[in-house]
Amino acid sequence: MKILVTVKEVAEVDDEFDISGLDIADSSLEYDLNEWDDYAVEEAVQISEDNDDVEVVSVTIGPERSEETIRMALAKGADRAIRVWDDSLEDAQFLDVDTKAEILAAVAEEEDPDFILSGVQAGDDANGATGVALAEKLDFEWAAVVNALDLDADAGVASVRRELEGGVEELTDVDLPAVLTIQTGINEPRYASLRGIRQAQRKPLDAQGLDDIGLDADVVESPVERTDMYEPESEGDATLWEGDASDTASELAEFLRDKGVVES
Amino acid sequence: MSVLAITEHRRGSLRDVSYELVTVGRELADELGEDLELAVIGGDVDSFASDVNREGVDTIYTVDEGEEFNHGIYAQAIEQLHAELDPSALLMPNSVNGLDYAPAVAESLDLPLVTDVIGLEGGSPVEVTREQYGGKVETTYDIGEDQFAITIRSAEWPQAEADGDAAIEAVDVDIDESALGSTVNGFEEVGGGDVDITEADVLVSIGRGIEEEENLPLVEELADALGATLSSSRPIVDNGWLPKNRQVGQSGKVVTPDVYIAIGISGAVQHVAGMKGADTIIAINKDPNAPIYDLADYGIVDDLFEVVPELIEEFGGEAPDI
Ligand SMILES: Cc1cc2nc3c(=O)[nH]c(=O)nc-3n(C[C@H](O)[C@H](O)[C@H](O)COP(=O)(O)OP(=O)(O)OC[C@H]3O[C@@H](n4cnc5c(N)ncnc54)[C@H](O)[C@@H]3O)c2cc1C
């Protein structure tokens, strides 16, 4: 059995940051493995540990820098990794859902996995749509926002729980092959062990261009164009208590006493 | 052309976002000079249609297929409605179920998709606003096509209230049962247990800023000193540090205490969905740009590990050694 896991390197913004043009300045960004993908990787690795002959392959759309993040996924137990990038992706203003789905689908067609795990969303763009769009492209079944997975590979069915709003879960059977988008809390992602990190250096990480996966540069073209990025005007009119911690704490304490939360 | 919005229901009731879709759909339809059409798919379609028959809606199409949400039925029904009605805008909720069909529908109809939209301006091109990087920035996008799909963030637009007089039309669609690859078997409520955070007057709520499970006694002590109940954002529950019944937010509990003290919580939209109704919101967060400050009434921009021990002492408690 082969499981493909989509792994994204996400940008995290410093507390103080600058905007440069239509994006946050690179100097204000740090990069990390997308939180939701971390859970997807863990789920795939646990399945591979509980079953014989499971291969876990990660796929990333990202520049060379993202190899650091990809090595994290390998250190946690993915068997090998594919990274797609080239100049046309580098030059694109941003990649829309359709572009990402098309690239991931091209890799999936090549790899022919039994199913695909993807994070519910990426922490930076928060489109929350790539996994389901990918399923549609591949003509796979799917389920979004999965927080429990029970796989019956022989029957070709994944029994999942989908976490709806307000503490309600939906119990659903999904035919394989499928794309499942994984919600945090489904498992406890492991830390990469030192041994894992060492082994990850030797695992295959295959860098591919659009050409290699049978796509041309048009794939980055999007009818959607980013026109502005700005810090939202604070709608808030919060009163900020200032000073050192003992000053601010005493202001807050006084407020809570005045409010009658605590007796004076 | 028209604006077509897809309503949402669950377990016998329309969800609030359906009425919000009427408001945003009408605004967009006015700007584009078009009609607003709604679709009600599955469940008790007639009663849902009469509920959502609010001012500004021109036509409501009912599709009597399935009891509860099934994304396969939704996808097929919407694709057929879209082919027939040829709307310019297809509006769907950015709910958990919306995200379970909208990307597939957009993909199969070859429509550009923008999700989690918080602002919409009709024109040529249509301009949409969304948040990125955890709400720290807003971005705008022009959609350079006449037909597109959008999912709408809930609670961004008011719910349409006034009664309307839309035409209600039942539509037959052909559902290919053999193409339905998933079966919904039921629902389960989660998150019951000893404490009901929805009943609390004062909540001390902790987020990822607490860093380690070993540091939790610090906020427990504060909650004790204040006679408050301890709640949290999602990562704390995901880590197993607190039980699910303490989680505030979209997938947790909606709370409305008199005072909500958010400590080390950024204020992600899914968290805010659960606590924005609190009477007084106080944030302790070291990041002055954290979205929680857009909502807070009072705030302390500082390290919680500095402020919380001082606070505990203010109330005669003793900060634990951590
Ligand atoms: C479908 C879906 C449903 C979800 N449902 C929920 C839900 O019900 N509830 C929920 O909460 N989330 C939910 N989430 C997750 C949500 O998107 C966020 O990931 C989550 O709310 C972030 O929690 P946080 O604010 O504690 O952590 P972060 O966003 O990591 O924020 C931590 C904050 O702590 C501050 N901080 C760090 N160290 C310190 C310090 N020493 N002193 C002071 N401040 C500090 C930082 O500045 C930061 O602002 C959901 C997500 C999805 C996709």
Side-chain angles (χ1 to χ4, degrees):
Chain A
M1 181 163 65
K2 190 192 279 187
I3 310 174
L4 190 66
V5 189
T6 63
V7 167
K8 188 176 185 235
E9 176 202 60
V10 294
E12 289 176 4
V13 182
D14 295 341
D15 289 355
E16 303 289 339
F17 63 93
D18 297 313
I19 293 173
S20 141
L22 291 174
D23 217 330
I24 293 189
D26 227 15
S27 55
S28 305
L29 296 176
E30 280 171 52
Y31 294 91
D32 204 352
L33 170 60
N34 179 37
E35 184 180 355
W36 284 267
D37 296 347
D38 194 13
Y39 288 81
V41 169
E42 178 64 34
E43 197 62 20
V45 171
Q46 285 188 13
I47 293 168
S48 78
E49 288 168 342
D50 294 346
N51 297 276
D52 295 333
D53 296 327
V54 177
E55 187 185 29
V56 178
V57 182
S58 74
V59 52
T60 301
I61 305 169
E64 205 174 333
R65 183 194 59 229
S66 62
E67 293 198 354
E68 206 177 314
T69 297
I70 297 171
R71 294 281 173 205
M72 287 303 294
L74 291 171
K76 287 169 182 237
D79 296 296
R80 62 186 171 85
I82 297 164
R83 177 176 72 82
V84 183
W85 199 248
D86 66 11
D87 290 346
S88 43
L89 292 166
E90 178 78 39
D91 294 343
Q93 188 196 34
F94 75 102
L95 303 179
D96 72 6
V97 172
D98 183 56
T99 302
K100 290 181 204 172
E102 198 150 336
I103 294 169
L104 296 172
V107 172
E109 265 154 17
E110 198 71 21
E111 289 288 332
D112 194 23
D114 296 277
F115 65 104
I116 301 178
L117 300 181
S118 167
V120 166
Q121 64 172 24
D124 48 7
D125 295 337
N127 289 319
T130 305
V132 172
L134 170 62
E136 178 67 29
K137 282 240 191 266
L138 291 170
D139 207 12
F140 277 24
E141 193 38 48
W142 73 88
V145 195
V146 168
N147 73 346
L149 165 60
D150 185 8
L151 195 65
D152 186 342
D154 295 334
V157 176
S159 299
V160 304
R161 283 170 179 262
R162 293 185 53 237
E163 192 183 57
L164 307 180
E165 293 85 355
V168 177
E169 295 182 355
E170 181 198 278
L171 285 65
T172 301
D173 286 343
V174 183
D175 295 347
L176 298 179
V179 180
L180 307 178
T181 78
I182 301 295
Q183 172 65 308
T184 59
I186 188 173
N187 53 39
E188 271 182 61
R190 67 195 68 193
Y191 288 100
S193 65
L194 278 175
R195 188 160 159 264
I197 292 169
R198 260 199 322 272
Q199 284 174 342
Q201 295 305 327
R202 292 194 297 272
K203 290 183 179 174
L205 198 171
D206 189 8
Q208 309 238 355
L210 289 177
D211 270 0
D212 303 315
I213 56 172
L215 295 175
D216 58 45
D218 295 353
V219 68
V220 303
E221 275 166 27
S222 170
V224 182
E225 188 189 352
R226 186 181 294 166
T227 49
D228 202 3
M229 175 180 280
Y230 50 89
E231 278 186 64
E233 257 173 61
S234 173
E235 295 155 23
D237 44 7
T239 304
L240 297 181
W241 290 303
E242 285 172 23
D244 66 19
S246 70
D247 299 336
T248 54
S250 96
E251 297 256 26
L252 172 51
E254 194 182 317
F255 174 82
L256 292 173
R257 287 195 190 99
D258 285 351
K259 237 181 139 57
V261 169
V262 260
E263 285 169 22
S264 32
Chain B
M1 294 257 241
S2 62
V3 171
L4 174 64
I6 313 297
T7 61
E8 177 160 312
H9 59 87
R10 188 190 304 154
R11 301 166 94 185
S13 309
L14 275 180
R15 304 195 66 236
D16 289 349
V17 70
S18 303
Y19 304 105
E20 295 156 14
L21 280 162
V22 172
T23 305
V24 54
R26 186 65 255 166
E27 274 175 29
L28 181 63
D30 283 343
E31 285 165 19
L32 297 175
E34 294 174 355
D35 280 357
L36 173 62
E37 303 173 321
L38 300 185
V40 178
I41 305 168
D44 189 353
V45 288
D46 295 328
S47 95
F48 293 152
S50 89
D51 288 346
V52 80
N53 193 342
R54 298 279 159 100
E55 191 177 25
V57 183
D58 295 295
T59 311
I60 302 172
Y61 298 100
T62 61
V63 179
D64 191 8
E65 295 281 352
E67 274 314 302
E68 279 294 345
F69 173 76
N70 175 301
H71 64 220
I73 293 178
Y74 266 61
Q76 291 187 34
I78 296 166
E79 282 155 28
Q80 289 173 42
L81 279 172
H82 199 275
E84 205 158 300
L85 304 170
D86 205 27
S88 52
L90 175 61
L91 305 185
M92 297 163 281
N94 198 70
S95 57
V96 170
N97 281 345
L99 288 178
D100 195 48
Y101 71 86
V105 167
E107 201 55 58
S108 105
L109 291 171
D110 203 14
L111 299 172
L113 170 70
V114 184
T115 60
D116 204 16
V117 166
I118 60 169
L120 195 50
E121 221 164 297
S124 182
V126 166
E127 183 191 84
V128 295
T129 307
R130 64 192 309 276
E131 287 183 347
Q132 271 167 258
Y133 298 108
K136 290 194 175 182
V137 295
E138 281 179 17
T139 42
T140 55
Y141 293 88
D142 279 352
I143 303 182
E145 256 168 48
D146 298 341
Q147 290 187 297
F148 54 88
I150 275 174
T151 70
I152 297 293
R153 178 175 292 183
S154 62
E156 281 292 313
W157 281 270
Q159 296 177 27
E161 304 271 359
D163 289 342
D165 56 359
I168 299 181
E169 238 179 78
V171 182
D172 282 328
V173 296
D174 288 324
I175 301 294
D176 175 3
E177 301 274 340
S178 69
L180 298 178
S182 72
T183 319
V184 178
N185 297 316
F187 298 94
E188 218 172 271
E189 310 267 352
V190 288
D194 52 337
V195 181
D196 185 357
I197 57 172
T198 65
E199 296 284 327
D201 293 329
V202 183
L203 284 171
V204 166
S205 205
I206 188 65
R208 183 140 48 193
I210 196 71
E211 289 172 9
E212 305 274 344
E213 186 172 18
E214 289 68 48
N215 299 336
L216 270 188
L218 189 64
V219 280
E220 283 164 352
E221 186 61 41
L222 177 63
D224 266 0
L226 291 174
T229 302
L230 190 64
S231 60
S232 80
S233 67
R234 181 174 183 117
I236 305 300
V237 171
D238 285 341
N239 286 335
W241 300 347
L242 285 176
K244 182 89 187 170
N245 61 4
R246 304 285 181 139
Q247 182 181 317
V248 172
Q250 177 189 309
S251 49
K253 295 263 166 71
V254 175
V255 297
T256 49
D258 296 334
V259 177
Y260 188 85
I261 310 181
I263 306 177
I265 293 178
S266 62
V269 56
Q270 297 93 352
H271 184 77
V272 166
M275 47 67 77
K276 61 176 185 300
D279 208 42
T280 301
I281 297 170
I282 301 165
I284 304 176
N285 193 310
K286 65 182 173 58
D287 175 5
N289 292 307
I292 191 78
Y293 286 116
D294 290 342
L295 215 71
D297 301 290
Y298 298 89
I300 298 176
V301 180
D302 202 349
D303 187 336
L304 74 92
F305 295 104
E306 302 284 330
V307 177
V308 175
E310 296 280 351
L311 254 182
I312 293 170
E313 278 171 35
E314 284 280 343
F315 297 116
E318 204 178 313
D321 262 342
I322 48 167

